[in-house]
Amino acid sequence: LNLFTDIAERSLRHDQIFGYPEGAPRWGGAIFREHVYEPDRPIADAAFADAAQTGALRFQVRIVWPDGSLRWIEARGKVTYDNQHQPVRMLGTVLDVTEQKRAEQAAVFLAGISEELASLETVGDIMQNVGAKIGAHFGIFACAFTEIDEATDTATVNYGWNAPGAPSLIGTYRLSEMAHEGFLREARAGKATVVPVAATDTRLNSERLAELGIGAYVNVPFLRDGEWRFQFAIHDSTARDWRDDEVALMRELTTRIWARLERARAEET
């Protein structure tokens, strides 16, 4: 069975789905399989084997783009048979469902975080347990929950999480030493600051961030009564292109976490 011989016949749309904007080799079953993320190949293999018997194919897997990034696709196909009812060809199509899958995963993740926040009682437990889940979801080395006091020019990280072996960010920092006016202005306006490359971002003190092992991060401020009072940030140790959906998820996490933290702090006093 020459699987996927006729998937879009090298159409530009199909090539783009697999990350080849200028065209790719003729698509057949072997080339298709090479693009499937290795842990997902058993899913594709089983679906193809079943389709040879049933005549219909539909499954979702992750594929690897030429740049090494992962995306989700949904493959759909229909098998044609010869006079002896032997499968000879599969006509099919491939859809990019990455955004849909990311939205589904974010919803599941947020639901799990909400359950975690409801079950934990102390601020310390909330920070460690929730922080670890956030770290695993984003694949980061640290996250920090910070209180801001512009009157004293301080940012105090009382709570945070860091991966094993990564430096802790707990401590008090001078705002004026960590960031320049551009960053501070964005935070006061409640705007998330997205930093793909900390070493070259002119809003920040890149040398100070390098000392802390921070190569990229996303910072979401939390305003109370119009004043910048808190912020939640996730940090990666190397440069990173943060996606829009990751930033949106960070905003939602910030709102939920700070609401729960304030209740926990009030209960502890």
mmCIF file of all heavy atoms in Angstrom, residues 199-228:
data_model
loop_
_atom_site.group_PDB
_atom_site.id
_atom_site.type_symbol
_atom_site.label_atom_id
_atom_site.label_comp_id
_atom_site.label_asym_id
_atom_site.label_seq_id
_atom_site.Cartn_x
_atom_site.Cartn_y
_atom_site.Cartn_z
ATOM 1 N N ALA A 199 19.674 38.950 26.735
ATOM 2 C CA ALA A 199 21.008 39.526 26.570
ATOM 3 C C ALA A 199 21.017 40.764 25.690
ATOM 4 O O ALA A 199 21.940 41.589 25.790
ATOM 5 C CB ALA A 199 21.964 38.483 26.001
ATOM 6 N N THR A 200 20.017 40.914 24.835
ATOM 7 C CA THR A 200 20.007 42.049 23.908
ATOM 8 C C THR A 200 18.806 42.969 24.087
ATOM 9 O O THR A 200 18.628 43.902 23.304
ATOM 10 C CB THR A 200 20.040 41.550 22.455
ATOM 11 O OG1 THR A 200 18.885 40.721 22.209
ATOM 12 C CG2 THR A 200 21.308 40.753 22.179
ATOM 13 N N ASP A 201 17.994 42.741 25.102
ATOM 14 C CA ASP A 201 16.798 43.555 25.314
ATOM 15 C C ASP A 201 17.181 44.839 26.043
ATOM 16 O O ASP A 201 17.643 44.809 27.190
ATOM 17 C CB ASP A 201 15.758 42.767 26.120
ATOM 18 C CG ASP A 201 14.368 43.376 26.013
ATOM 19 O OD1 ASP A 201 14.225 44.584 26.261
ATOM 20 O OD2 ASP A 201 13.427 42.637 25.679
ATOM 21 N N THR A 202 16.968 45.967 25.397
ATOM 22 C CA THR A 202 17.402 47.251 25.957
ATOM 23 C C THR A 202 16.526 47.719 27.119
ATOM 24 O O THR A 202 16.866 48.697 27.778
ATOM 25 C CB THR A 202 17.406 48.327 24.866
ATOM 26 O OG1 THR A 202 16.094 48.430 24.286
ATOM 27 C CG2 THR A 202 18.407 47.981 23.778
ATOM 28 N N ARG A 203 15.414 47.047 27.377
ATOM 29 C CA ARG A 203 14.568 47.420 28.517
ATOM 30 C C ARG A 203 15.118 46.889 29.831
ATOM 31 O O ARG A 203 14.635 47.267 30.910
ATOM 32 C CB ARG A 203 13.144 46.870 28.307
ATOM 33 C CG ARG A 203 12.411 47.434 27.111
ATOM 34 C CD ARG A 203 11.146 46.657 26.825
ATOM 35 N NE ARG A 203 11.431 45.274 26.433
ATOM 36 C CZ ARG A 203 10.496 44.383 26.113
ATOM 37 N NH1 ARG A 203 9.222 44.732 26.155
ATOM 38 N NH2 ARG A 203 10.827 43.161 25.764
ATOM 39 N N LEU A 204 16.122 46.025 29.756
ATOM 40 C CA LEU A 204 16.573 45.285 30.922
ATOM 41 C C LEU A 204 18.062 45.475 31.182
ATOM 42 O O LEU A 204 18.812 45.876 30.299
ATOM 43 C CB LEU A 204 16.285 43.799 30.724
ATOM 44 C CG LEU A 204 14.858 43.426 30.323
ATOM 45 C CD1 LEU A 204 14.805 41.995 29.869
ATOM 46 C CD2 LEU A 204 13.911 43.668 31.487
ATOM 47 N N ASN A 205 18.458 45.145 32.392
ATOM 48 C CA ASN A 205 19.870 45.088 32.747
ATOM 49 C C ASN A 205 20.352 43.682 32.391
ATOM 50 O O ASN A 205 20.254 42.757 33.196
ATOM 51 C CB ASN A 205 20.070 45.374 34.236
ATOM 52 C CG ASN A 205 21.533 45.427 34.634
ATOM 53 O OD1 ASN A 205 22.390 44.854 33.975
ATOM 54 N ND2 ASN A 205 21.811 46.106 35.735
ATOM 55 N N SER A 206 20.845 43.523 31.176
ATOM 56 C CA SER A 206 21.186 42.192 30.670
ATOM 57 C C SER A 206 22.285 41.528 31.483
ATOM 58 O O SER A 206 22.269 40.304 31.671
ATOM 59 C CB SER A 206 21.599 42.281 29.202
ATOM 60 O OG SER A 206 22.687 43.162 29.028
ATOM 61 N N GLU A 207 23.237 42.309 31.985
ATOM 62 C CA GLU A 207 24.324 41.731 32.778
ATOM 63 C C GLU A 207 23.789 41.142 34.079
ATOM 64 O O GLU A 207 24.205 40.058 34.500
ATOM 65 C CB GLU A 207 25.377 42.791 33.070
ATOM 66 C CG GLU A 207 26.156 43.246 31.839
ATOM 67 C CD GLU A 207 27.238 44.243 32.196
ATOM 68 O OE1 GLU A 207 27.417 44.534 33.406
ATOM 69 O OE2 GLU A 207 27.923 44.732 31.277
ATOM 70 N N ARG A 208 22.871 41.853 34.715
ATOM 71 C CA ARG A 208 22.303 41.352 35.973
ATOM 72 C C ARG A 208 21.487 40.089 35.732
ATOM 73 O O ARG A 208 21.545 39.153 36.524
ATOM 74 C CB ARG A 208 21.413 42.435 36.607
ATOM 75 C CG ARG A 208 20.940 42.091 37.994
ATOM 76 C CD ARG A 208 22.068 42.189 38.996
ATOM 77 N NE ARG A 208 21.614 41.880 40.344
ATOM 78 C CZ ARG A 208 21.692 40.666 40.890
ATOM 79 N NH1 ARG A 208 22.212 39.653 40.205
ATOM 80 N NH2 ARG A 208 21.270 40.462 42.110
ATOM 81 N N LEU A 209 20.739 40.061 34.648
ATOM 82 C CA LEU A 209 19.947 38.872 34.333
ATOM 83 C C LEU A 209 20.847 37.680 34.021
ATOM 84 O O LEU A 209 20.539 36.548 34.400
ATOM 85 C CB LEU A 209 19.011 39.147 33.166
ATOM 86 C CG LEU A 209 17.888 40.154 33.427
ATOM 87 C CD1 LEU A 209 17.071 40.372 32.175
ATOM 88 C CD2 LEU A 209 16.993 39.693 34.563
ATOM 89 N N ALA A 210 21.951 37.936 33.345
ATOM 90 C CA ALA A 210 22.900 36.859 33.037
ATOM 91 C C ALA A 210 23.465 36.262 34.321
ATOM 92 O O ALA A 210 23.681 35.048 34.418
ATOM 93 C CB ALA A 210 24.014 37.380 32.145
ATOM 94 N N GLU A 211 23.704 37.104 35.308
ATOM 95 C CA GLU A 211 24.204 36.620 36.597
ATOM 96 C C GLU A 211 23.217 35.664 37.253
ATOM 97 O O GLU A 211 23.617 34.741 37.973
ATOM 98 C CB GLU A 211 24.478 37.793 37.530
ATOM 99 C CG GLU A 211 25.640 38.685 37.098
ATOM 100 C CD GLU A 211 25.750 39.921 37.979
ATOM 101 O OE1 GLU A 211 24.921 40.079 38.892
ATOM 102 O OE2 GLU A 211 26.675 40.728 37.746
ATOM 103 N N LEU A 212 21.934 35.902 36.998
ATOM 104 C CA LEU A 212 20.888 35.050 37.573
ATOM 105 C C LEU A 212 20.559 33.857 36.676
ATOM 106 O O LEU A 212 19.687 33.056 37.012
ATOM 107 C CB LEU A 212 19.624 35.881 37.811
ATOM 108 C CG LEU A 212 19.752 37.020 38.819
ATOM 109 C CD1 LEU A 212 18.511 37.906 38.790
ATOM 110 C CD2 LEU A 212 19.983 36.469 40.221
ATOM 111 N N GLY A 213 21.220 33.732 35.543
ATOM 112 C CA GLY A 213 20.998 32.608 34.643
ATOM 113 C C GLY A 213 19.774 32.750 33.771
ATOM 114 O O GLY A 213 19.275 31.766 33.220
ATOM 115 N N ILE A 214 19.262 33.971 33.607
ATOM 116 C CA ILE A 214 18.034 34.199 32.851
ATOM 117 C C ILE A 214 18.368 34.563 31.412
ATOM 118 O O ILE A 214 19.023 35.566 31.153
ATOM 119 C CB ILE A 214 17.196 35.318 33.496
ATOM 120 C CG1 ILE A 214 16.769 34.912 34.904
ATOM 121 C CG2 ILE A 214 15.969 35.630 32.639
ATOM 122 C CD1 ILE A 214 16.087 36.016 35.689
ATOM 123 N N GLY A 215 17.911 33.734 30.483
ATOM 124 C CA GLY A 215 18.145 33.989 29.071
ATOM 125 C C GLY A 215 16.930 34.529 28.345
ATOM 126 O O GLY A 215 17.046 35.158 27.296
ATOM 127 N N ALA A 216 15.738 34.265 28.896
ATOM 128 C CA ALA A 216 14.482 34.737 28.310
ATOM 129 C C ALA A 216 13.409 34.633 29.388
ATOM 130 O O ALA A 216 13.504 33.800 30.290
ATOM 131 C CB ALA A 216 14.098 33.895 27.097
ATOM 132 N N TYR A 217 12.400 35.484 29.281
ATOM 133 C CA TYR A 217 11.304 35.332 30.240
ATOM 134 C C TYR A 217 10.057 36.077 29.793
ATOM 135 O O TYR A 217 10.089 36.897 28.878
ATOM 136 C CB TYR A 217 11.716 35.754 31.644
ATOM 137 C CG TYR A 217 11.861 37.233 31.923
ATOM 138 C CD1 TYR A 217 10.817 37.965 32.453
ATOM 139 C CD2 TYR A 217 13.066 37.894 31.709
ATOM 140 C CE1 TYR A 217 10.948 39.309 32.749
ATOM 141 C CE2 TYR A 217 13.224 39.241 32.006
ATOM 142 C CZ TYR A 217 12.155 39.950 32.522
ATOM 143 O OH TYR A 217 12.293 41.281 32.804
ATOM 144 N N VAL A 218 8.959 35.750 30.468
ATOM 145 C CA VAL A 218 7.688 36.451 30.287
ATOM 146 C C VAL A 218 7.263 36.952 31.655
ATOM 147 O O VAL A 218 7.206 36.179 32.616
ATOM 148 C CB VAL A 218 6.594 35.532 29.699
ATOM 149 C CG1 VAL A 218 5.266 36.277 29.612
ATOM 150 C CG2 VAL A 218 7.007 35.010 28.337
ATOM 151 N N ASN A 219 6.984 38.232 31.747
ATOM 152 C CA ASN A 219 6.586 38.851 33.004
ATOM 153 C C ASN A 219 5.177 39.422 32.869
ATOM 154 O O ASN A 219 4.879 40.156 31.925
ATOM 155 C CB ASN A 219 7.566 39.970 33.364
ATOM 156 C CG ASN A 219 7.167 40.675 34.651
ATOM 157 O OD1 ASN A 219 7.370 40.148 35.734
ATOM 158 N ND2 ASN A 219 6.597 41.867 34.527
ATOM 159 N N VAL A 220 4.304 39.063 33.807
ATOM 160 C CA VAL A 220 2.936 39.575 33.794
ATOM 161 C C VAL A 220 2.686 40.342 35.084
ATOM 162 O O VAL A 220 2.699 39.762 36.174
ATOM 163 C CB VAL A 220 1.898 38.440 33.660
ATOM 164 C CG1 VAL A 220 0.488 39.022 33.623
ATOM 165 C CG2 VAL A 220 2.156 37.627 32.404
ATOM 166 N N PRO A 221 2.470 41.658 35.003
ATOM 167 C CA PRO A 221 2.203 42.443 36.206
ATOM 168 C C PRO A 221 0.757 42.276 36.663
ATOM 169 O O PRO A 221 -0.122 41.950 35.856
ATOM 170 C CB PRO A 221 2.466 43.881 35.751
ATOM 171 C CG PRO A 221 2.142 43.860 34.290
ATOM 172 C CD PRO A 221 2.530 42.482 33.796
ATOM 173 N N PHE A 222 0.541 42.506 37.944
ATOM 174 C CA PHE A 222 -0.808 42.459 38.499
ATOM 175 C C PHE A 222 -1.048 43.781 39.218
ATOM 176 O O PHE A 222 -0.327 44.137 40.151
ATOM 177 C CB PHE A 222 -0.959 41.284 39.472
ATOM 178 C CG PHE A 222 -2.372 41.067 39.934
ATOM 179 C CD1 PHE A 222 -3.276 40.399 39.137
ATOM 180 C CD2 PHE A 222 -2.797 41.553 41.157
ATOM 181 C CE1 PHE A 222 -4.582 40.190 39.566
ATOM 182 C CE2 PHE A 222 -4.104 41.350 41.586
ATOM 183 C CZ PHE A 222 -4.994 40.667 40.788
ATOM 184 N N LEU A 223 -2.059 44.519 38.736
ATOM 185 C CA LEU A 223 -2.346 45.833 39.306
ATOM 186 C C LEU A 223 -3.465 45.744 40.328
ATOM 187 O O LEU A 223 -4.447 45.013 40.133
ATOM 188 C CB LEU A 223 -2.738 46.821 38.210
ATOM 189 C CG LEU A 223 -1.616 47.514 37.447
ATOM 190 C CD1 LEU A 223 -0.681 46.525 36.783
ATOM 191 C CD2 LEU A 223 -2.176 48.488 36.426
ATOM 192 N N ARG A 224 -3.315 46.475 41.421
ATOM 193 C CA ARG A 224 -4.381 46.586 42.415
ATOM 194 C C ARG A 224 -4.680 48.069 42.612
ATOM 195 O O ARG A 224 -3.786 48.853 42.895
ATOM 196 C CB ARG A 224 -3.967 45.960 43.744
ATOM 197 C CG ARG A 224 -5.063 46.063 44.817
ATOM 198 C CD ARG A 224 -4.522 45.748 46.184
ATOM 199 N NE ARG A 224 -4.255 44.323 46.324
ATOM 200 C CZ ARG A 224 -3.508 43.824 47.315
ATOM 201 N NH1 ARG A 224 -2.935 44.637 48.191
ATOM 202 N NH2 ARG A 224 -3.314 42.527 47.397
ATOM 203 N N ASP A 225 -5.950 48.414 42.429
ATOM 204 C CA ASP A 225 -6.366 49.822 42.528
ATOM 205 C C ASP A 225 -5.525 50.711 41.619
ATOM 206 O O ASP A 225 -5.162 51.849 41.967
ATOM 207 C CB ASP A 225 -6.277 50.321 43.974
ATOM 208 C CG ASP A 225 -7.166 49.536 44.922
ATOM 209 O OD1 ASP A 225 -8.251 49.118 44.481
ATOM 210 O OD2 ASP A 225 -6.772 49.330 46.082
ATOM 211 N N GLY A 226 -5.200 50.174 40.435
ATOM 212 C CA GLY A 226 -4.461 50.944 39.456
ATOM 213 C C GLY A 226 -2.974 51.030 39.689
ATOM 214 O O GLY A 226 -2.258 51.669 38.914
ATOM 215 N N GLU A 227 -2.465 50.389 40.741
ATOM 216 C CA GLU A 227 -1.045 50.429 41.047
ATOM 217 C C GLU A 227 -0.400 49.066 40.810
ATOM 218 O O GLU A 227 -0.983 48.027 41.107
ATOM 219 C CB GLU A 227 -0.815 50.843 42.503
ATOM 220 C CG GLU A 227 -1.236 52.264 42.815
ATOM 221 C CD GLU A 227 -0.874 52.660 44.238
ATOM 222 O OE1 GLU A 227 -0.181 51.873 44.921
ATOM 223 O OE2 GLU A 227 -1.289 53.748 44.668
ATOM 224 N N TRP A 228 0.798 49.104 40.293
ATOM 225 C CA TRP A 228 1.569 47.889 40.064
ATOM 226 C C TRP A 228 2.049 47.355 41.407
ATOM 227 O O TRP A 228 2.903 47.927 42.057
ATOM 228 C CB TRP A 228 2.747 48.225 39.155
ATOM 229 C CG TRP A 228 3.695 47.109 38.868
ATOM 230 C CD1 TRP A 228 3.418 45.775 38.826
ATOM 231 C CD2 TRP A 228 5.088 47.241 38.566
ATOM 232 N NE1 TRP A 228 4.542 45.059 38.517
ATOM 233 C CE2 TRP A 228 5.588 45.931 38.343
ATOM 234 C CE3 TRP A 228 5.947 48.319 38.448
ATOM 235 C CZ2 TRP A 228 6.922 45.700 38.033
ATOM 236 C CZ3 TRP A 228 7.270 48.093 38.121
ATOM 237 C CH2 TRP A 228 7.754 46.790 37.924
#
